[in-house]
Amino acid sequence: YQPFGDIWLAFDGDGEVHDYKRELDLDTAVAKIQYKRAGVKYTRSVFSSHPDQVMVIRLNADKARQLNFTVSLATPHEESQVTAGDETLVLNGRVSGYRHPGGNKDYHPSILSFESRLKVHEHNGTVQQQGNTLRVTNADAVTLILCAGTSFEAYDDISGNPKAKCDKALAAVKDPYPVLLRKHVQDYQALFRRVS
């Protein structure tokens, strides 16, 4: 039960933010943030899609070419690294721990490896690599897709391949944002709307 990591979004510009609103819509399982700054309304929507096994972050501005930000990944685990390239950030590393197999009282070290990838999936601006970050400029809307995997397979098996899990998840995500959202909502509401 370790923290995996964080996504950091650093937006350009300054000035007072007003009409700030945060919400979680329990009927759609979508979290949303809205605010205005310098005459532009910004919206950020986030959901975790069970059908696609990814987290989806959608950023919008109500005026053209107003999204300018840097995105990065971080983790508290020391044995880790972040690399950037081809509109994708990759965070990988490992967590040292101890396990107690089969009731044996002799503890021995085990290593759990992990990988996450953040892909700039849809955008109408420019994406550039800047060190181990990605820089998005002059966009109206951007979709960020995050997948993650670990080597955990079962309580006594940590032989999984986190890279292969991320490969599979990202390869399966080809749909535009409205389709990703629709699949997520349909899947979620099939359970949530059984009661009212």
Side-chain angles (χ1 to χ4, degrees):
Y1 302 105
Q2 295 289 317
F4 203 111
D6 295 299
I7 301 169
W8 290 95
L9 301 171
F11 294 91
D12 290 7
D14 52 15
E16 187 176 329
V17 169
H18 52 92
D19 296 339
Y20 184 85
K21 178 181 173 184
R22 292 175 63 189
E23 67 181 48
L24 170 60
D25 185 337
L26 293 180
D27 191 50
T28 62
V30 176
K32 188 180 288 187
I33 296 171
Q34 292 181 324
Y35 60 90
K36 292 180 182 175
R37 189 180 67 196
V40 180
K41 181 178 179 181
Y42 296 94
T43 304
R44 187 178 332 146
S45 301
V46 182
F47 61 88
S48 292
S49 171
H50 181 261
D52 288 302
Q53 293 293 294
V54 294
M55 178 184 285
V56 179
I57 304 167
R58 179 69 169 182
L59 301 107
N60 289 49
D62 71 347
K63 294 186 179 175
R65 305 173 65 83
Q66 293 299 307
L67 280 173
N68 297 285
F69 65 95
T70 301
V71 60
S72 59
L73 296 176
T75 183
H77 301 293
E78 293 180 5
E79 294 184 66
S80 63
Q81 67 177 4
V82 176
T83 55
D86 192 29
E87 300 186 352
T88 304
L89 293 175
V90 179
L91 166 65
N92 55 38
R94 55 192 215 160
V95 179
S96 298
Y98 292 90
R99 61 184 170 140
H100 188 228
N104 184 342
K105 298 208 186 283
D106 296 323
Y107 287 82
H108 59 88
S110 63
I111 304 293
L112 186 74
S113 58
F114 61 90
E115 179 169 309
S116 66
R117 290 190 217 160
L118 185 138
K119 173 82 174 162
V120 182
H121 183 61
E122 296 177 281
H123 63 87
N124 56 351
T126 302
V127 180
Q128 295 176 313
Q129 177 186 344
Q130 290 185 345
N132 59 357
T133 69
L134 294 177
R135 174 93 182 124
V136 177
T137 54
N138 299 325
D140 304 332
V142 176
T143 302
L144 304 176
I145 304 291
L146 179 77
C147 64
T150 72
S151 58
F152 180 87
E153 295 293 331
Y155 78 95
D156 59 350
D157 179 5
I158 56 169
S159 64
N161 185 337
K163 181 182 183 309
K165 292 176 182 180
C166 287
D167 286 342
K168 182 179 178 183
L170 281 185
V173 178
K174 305 235 185 270
D175 295 321
Y177 176 77
V179 177
L180 294 172
L181 177 61
R182 185 179 73 241
K183 289 194 299 184
H184 157 71
V185 170
Q186 287 173 344
D187 178 71
Y188 171 76
Q189 287 180 344
L191 299 173
F192 185 77
R193 286 186 170 181
R194 290 180 302 175
V195 295
S196 62

